[in-house]
Amino acid sequence: MPIFKEALWIVDLTLPLNKGDRGVNWDNAMEIPKDNWNARLLHLYSHSGTHMDAPSHFIPGAKCIDQIDLNKCIGPALLIDLGEVTENFLIEPEHIDRYKNKICRGSRIILKTSWSKYYGQPIFRDQCPRISIELARHLADLDINLIGVEPPSVADVHNKSELVSVHRAFLEKEIVIVEGLCNLDKISQEEFTIMAFPLPVNGGDGSPCRVVALL
């Protein structure tokens, strides 16, 4: 029996992994002319491309990426469209206020900022929009399952205090964090099904993951 009874349109929300991108490299371990098959030795930073953070990324002794509850990684999601935001934009609770009746325990929240268009440019990481500590705590208090964003981080990577506080607000509640999403402009509906699965790296603090939207 099929899992889904209706025909679905799949949108890939995953950034491509290109050699030379931040944290991405590889060597050819095998080649067809010499070895009869191709194989690569991959060198991947655990938070490269589209990736998922484990609680152990910021909390000593917390759950690792191979211990993530996969039930949180698949299910209904809410797309919150914030428009095309400016550099270093701080996302506050009032920016999602019109969605407050749709956010509850177990929600999966995806913040659309159109920021993925800057992927491959310094601005993508250095001046990215981020979630305020007030919004992070608000969503954590609601006990959501997952938060997904287009920038490579939910917080300012150049502000250690903010970076730690925002991540810990989510990860202390074991809320799944997915960073580096793309193609959100291809989602034409507010609610959809998301699937986001990391590699089960033993003891890992995070992992690149493949994320898709089912419409």
Side-chain angles (χ1 to χ4, degrees):
M1 179 180 295
I3 298 176
F4 300 103
K5 296 181 180 179
E6 300 178 4
L8 298 171
W9 181 261
I10 297 178
V11 177
D12 194 348
L13 307 182
T14 315
L15 290 169
L17 292 176
N18 302 304
K19 188 173 184 179
D21 287 350
R22 180 179 174 81
V24 181
N25 207 343
W26 58 69
D27 301 310
N28 290 331
M30 300 289 181
E31 297 178 329
I32 288 177
K34 178 168 61 75
D35 305 297
N36 298 314
W37 65 82
N38 287 321
R40 286 175 173 173
L41 177 62
L42 302 177
H43 307 273
L44 295 177
Y45 176 53
S46 54
H47 301 271
S48 58
T50 304
H51 63 277
M52 185 179 295
D53 292 352
S56 63
H57 185 32
F58 279 86
I59 305 171
K63 287 186 178 180
C64 299
I65 199 68
D66 55 314
Q67 300 169 319
I68 290 285
D69 181 0
L70 295 182
N71 288 297
K72 296 183 177 183
C73 301
I74 179 173
L78 175 66
L79 182 67
I80 295 180
D81 190 348
L82 298 171
E84 293 196 16
V85 303
T86 56
E87 293 89 342
N88 301 309
F89 185 79
L90 189 62
I91 307 170
E92 300 278 13
E94 57 262 31
H95 294 127
I96 69 167
D97 190 60
R98 68 184 186 275
Y99 297 92
K100 63 182 180 181
N101 293 330
K102 296 186 176 183
I103 302 176
C104 59
R105 185 177 186 276
S107 290
R108 298 169 186 85
I109 307 300
I110 307 300
L111 299 179
K112 178 183 175 184
T113 56
S114 300
W115 200 252
S116 58
K117 67 183 178 182
Y118 295 115
Y119 183 61
Q121 302 177 41
I123 190 177
F124 180 69
R125 180 174 186 271
D126 294 337
Q127 295 176 278
C128 66
R130 71 263 199 240
I131 295 172
S132 71
I133 184 58
E134 291 77 17
L135 178 56
R137 288 170 177 164
H138 172 65
L139 293 174
D141 287 342
L142 291 176
D143 202 19
I144 65 171
N145 273 344
L146 180 148
I147 181 73
V149 298
E150 291 180 75
S153 175
V154 291
D156 184 354
V157 297
H158 299 297
N159 184 328
K160 184 176 290 187
S161 175
E162 176 183 310
L163 189 70
V164 172
S165 297
V166 172
H167 276 88
R168 286 183 68 101
F170 290 120
L171 297 176
E172 284 174 352
K173 292 290 192 73
E174 297 187 2
I175 294 169
V176 174
I177 298 176
V178 181
E179 299 162 325
L181 295 172
C182 65
N183 294 329
L184 295 182
D185 59 315
K186 296 182 180 179
I187 301 177
S188 58
Q189 56 200 65
E190 197 171 86
E191 298 179 13
F192 63 98
T193 297
I194 193 169
M195 301 176 70
F197 296 123
L199 298 172
V201 181
N202 185 21
D205 55 85
S207 167
C209 58
R210 193 65 179 263
V211 186
V212 299
L214 306 180
L215 311 180

